[in-house]
Amino acid sequence: MTLILNRSDIRGLLEHATAEVEAAVEQAHRDLSRGRVSLPAPPALDLPGSDGTFLPMAAVSAPAGLASVKLLADLPANRERGLPVQRSTVLVLSARTGEAEAVLDGALITRFRTAAATAVATRLLAGQDAQVLGLVGTGPLALAHARALSTVREWKSVAVWGRTPANGAALVDRISAELGLHAELLPGPREVTEAADVLCTLTPSREPVIKGAWLRPGTHVNAVGAPPRPGHREIDTEGIVRSRLIVDSFATARSKSGEVLIPLAEGALTEADFDRELGDVLEGLVPARTADDEITLFDSVGVGLQDLAVARLLIDLATESGTGTRTDLAA
């Protein structure tokens, strides 16, 4: 039987499972470092006659006993239609029998696993005395990050900026009310960058919103928001060159991350500058922060293995609670 979970089902299962999601994502990256999973870089399937693209983000995990693919649709024209620019669905198969175990809406899976990966990276890479969290971008991903990162450090304050002031004010109110943290809306990305000990960029920007000259020594940056396209980035070349880079997957970053591909094409970066993976840091194969004044940057492109890890968790939670719909696709 195949489990079907819609967005409401997934919200109910994950809204109180922040720690479990983080643990699942961390273990997935450890398994990647140990060679226990297969994680190819996703091909870009461009839609002829448009700027739309589809990415099949696949992974196979021996420990999880699953193979999965999330088909991500990145359709900029949806913005004019009043629809989400990105939509996705996750198909999960048994790695042993090939049976379709689950079909899952991808929106919240993506949001939760992305924030969880940032939390893992921040715990490893941020300075121990980090007190100010900066959020550039005020969409749903920003709130998810505030929630996930609230378990990583004792934040003194949260600095926020977004292009729409009303959204920024609403985010500040929610962070204050839900997390009990002092949050403040600042006038621009520079002010947030200069205030933050840990900076999360969470915008769908095609052009840099953060300049390297703004980064203070010792800052940790999570570059999260740019779509997985070689020409899109949130951090300029100077910011990348000034930072010690950690990626979620070298193969995916080398294929999809404008954050590293644009400086690489400019000759400002080499592949050796971004071949350090998060899983290798977790496994102690690569050092994390090497100096108090070092600027560290986690380039979070997002990988199908993270989706698989959360899918495994969801299948287990849904089975325990009787959540979702079950059907025989072969009937």
Side-chain angles (χ1 to χ4, degrees), residues 120-136:
V120 172
T122 300
R123 176 164 46 81
L124 290 171
L125 300 172
Q128 292 303 310
D129 59 350
Q131 293 185 313
V132 180
L133 173 63
L135 304 176
V136 172

Side-chain angles (χ1 to χ4, degrees), residues 135-180:
L135 304 176
V136 172
T138 56
L141 196 57
L143 181 60
H145 273 67
R147 288 170 173 163
L149 291 174
S150 68
T151 66
V152 173
R153 291 286 190 278
E154 294 287 339
W155 304 109
K156 180 179 178 181
S157 63
V158 183
V160 173
W161 175 82
R163 288 190 174 90
T164 306
N167 292 346
L171 177 63
V172 164
D173 289 344
R174 292 198 68 176
I175 291 173
S176 299
E178 293 186 21
L179 303 176

Side-chain angles (χ1 to χ4, degrees), residues 28 43 73-74 103 151 156 185 229 260 311 313 316 324 326:
D74 185 58
V103 177
T151 66
K156 180 179 178 181
L185 186 62
R229 297 191 183 210
V260 296
L313 176 63
D316 294 342
R326 287 160 177 78

